[in-house]
Amino acid sequence: MPAQTPIGLQLTRGAKEISAAFNDALAEAGGSLPVWVVLISLKTRRLGNQRELARAVGIRGATLTHHLNAMERDGLVTRRRAPDNRRIHLVELTEQGEALFHRLRAAAVAFDRRLRTGVSDEELATFASVLGRMHRNVSGVDRPAGPRPGGPE
Amino acid sequence: MPAQTPIGLQLTRGAKEISAAFNDALAEAGGSLPVWVVLISLKTRRLGNQRELARAVGIRGATLTHHLNAMERDGLVTRRRAPDNRRIHLVELTEQGEALFHRLRAAAVAFDRRLRTGVSDEELATFASVLGRMHRNVSGVDRPAGPRPGGPE
DNA sequence: TATTGTTATACTCTATAACTATA
DNA sequence: TATAGTTATAGAGTATAACAATA
């Protein structure tokens, strides 16, 4: 007899508000969720081109271009062509981009602390583990990537 | 020494994809996440007016109007003024709306089964409990409800 | 012809502000 | 004047399709 909790809906709705709160925390520090993910990817990984960056961020190439345009306009990144293969655009953080990265990291850490209040390390580990399994359970490669909610949206 | 898992980001990103998969499952059944939540609220609760409905769904009144316009156009609901207080619009499911509700419920149940694969009842209970606590931890009433990310926003 | 990225356009979900109708 | 809801407008995030540049 399986549990009857509608966990999909519960997760979707709960996470929507938690994500909104996370985004608010990042906005107060001058960023946003997609910008934060792009910055992390740029700092953390050695990425060859924008396609890899888009994949790491979990969005399409054209959508990444959209964000990079804004980030370049705001002086957070520079784009230049790679000398050896001029099709590739090298994306690099400016000093301002570095500074924003550190501010957003502090905001993210503070948000995490708030989020974890009253949650034991063991519970947190279980939570993360289950989340990961659920993610894999539904991350079929069969999804042809239509328009995404909002999102949600 | 607190755990160092960046759980906020992990949750936000994981849930984004899980929500997208959920929405896809609902879309295959002819619906969407917001439509599903509206239908559930209409079926489950006795709601006096659209404001209460909007609150139950977690969106603003104008946003609800937007969805109800589409749902009315699609023949899922009807709106008529309450005889005793003609300011209030009574929202009611049509037969088509009822039918869609049942199709979406089946899709949601199937999605949940898929989501829960390899997750014990005990783990699921912990997961739901932690999610609820996290939600409360960041659901400050101080958030003045600005524009929400897509997508979840 | 294949690869990398950009531009043009559009869609979904959400919101606020201004408005109409009713009380 | 207060309440219920709609209309008008906007904005963030995402996507596909068509295009340009490079190899």
Side-chain angles (χ1 to χ4, degrees):
Chain A
M1 172 181 87
Q4 288 308 322
T5 320
I7 194 63
L9 186 61
Q10 211 174 314
L11 173 57
T12 292
R13 301 196 65 189
K16 176 185 151 196
E17 292 197 36
I18 294 173
S19 297
F22 191 23
N23 197 65
D24 286 345
L26 295 172
E28 272 182 41
S32 72
L33 211 28
V35 165
W36 174 226
V37 180
V38 168
L39 290 178
I40 288 179
S41 297
L42 287 175
K43 284 289 285 188
T44 307
R45 320 193 192 186
R46 260 295 146 253
L47 295 161
N49 57 37
Q50 287 189 198
R51 288 214 166 159
E52 287 180 32
L53 180 55
R55 264 206 98 218
V57 172
I59 56 180
R60 298 281 151 166
T63 305
L64 178 62
T65 295
H66 169 77
H67 289 298
L68 290 180
N69 285 346
M71 292 174 75
E72 194 170 34
R73 173 174 44 69
D74 294 345
L76 301 175
V77 299
T78 56
R79 278 183 284 190
R80 62 189 175 83
R81 291 186 181 270
D84 52 321
N85 181 348
R86 291 181 44 77
R87 283 180 301 197
I88 291 175
H89 288 203
L90 299 173
V91 182
E92 284 159 352
L93 280 187
T94 63
E95 265 189 42
Q96 275 188 66
E98 292 273 349
L100 182 60
F101 172 78
H102 291 296
R103 278 203 305 282
L104 293 184
R105 185 170 57 184
V109 166
F111 182 83
D112 254 50
R113 195 158 34 229
R114 191 168 141 216
L115 201 57
R116 281 202 318 263
T117 302
V119 178
S120 74
D121 284 7
E122 195 189 341
E123 285 176 314
L124 193 71
T126 300
F127 181 84
S129 164
V130 170
L131 181 65
R133 266 174 282 163
M134 286 183 170
H135 190 173
R136 283 189 295 279
N137 283 344
V138 298
S139 288
V141 281
D142 55 306
R143 204 146 44 77
R148 291 286 154 258
E153 80 340 159
Chain B
M1 175 181 86
Q4 289 308 320
T5 320
I7 193 64
L9 187 60
Q10 212 174 311
L11 172 56
T12 292
R13 301 195 65 191
K16 177 184 150 195
E17 293 196 35
I18 294 172
S19 298
F22 191 22
N23 197 65
D24 287 345
L26 294 172
E28 272 181 41
S32 72
L33 210 27
V35 165
W36 175 225
V37 180
V38 168
L39 290 178
I40 288 179
S41 297
L42 287 176
K43 285 290 284 187
T44 306
R45 320 192 193 188
R46 260 295 147 253
L47 295 161
N49 57 37
Q50 286 188 199
R51 288 213 166 159
E52 287 179 32
L53 180 54
R55 265 206 98 216
V57 173
I59 56 180
R60 298 281 153 164
T63 306
L64 177 62
T65 294
H66 168 77
H67 289 298
L68 289 180
N69 286 345
M71 292 175 74
E72 194 171 32
R73 173 175 44 69
D74 295 345
L76 301 175
V77 300
T78 55
R79 278 184 286 190
R80 60 186 176 85
R81 292 187 180 267
D84 52 322
N85 181 346
R86 289 181 46 76
R87 285 179 301 195
I88 291 176
H89 288 203
L90 299 174
V91 182
E92 283 160 353
L93 280 187
T94 63
E95 266 190 41
Q96 275 188 66
E98 292 273 350
L100 182 60
F101 173 78
H102 291 296
R103 280 203 304 282
L104 294 185
R105 185 170 58 184
V109 166
F111 183 83
D112 254 50
R113 196 157 35 230
R114 190 168 141 217
L115 200 58
R116 280 204 317 263
T117 303
V119 178
S120 74
D121 284 5
E122 196 189 341
E123 284 175 314
L124 193 70
T126 300
F127 181 84
S129 163
V130 169
L131 181 66
R133 265 173 282 164
M134 287 183 169
H135 190 174
R136 283 188 294 279
N137 283 343
V138 298
S139 288
V141 281
D142 57 308
R143 206 147 41 78
R148 293 285 154 260
E153 336 179 52

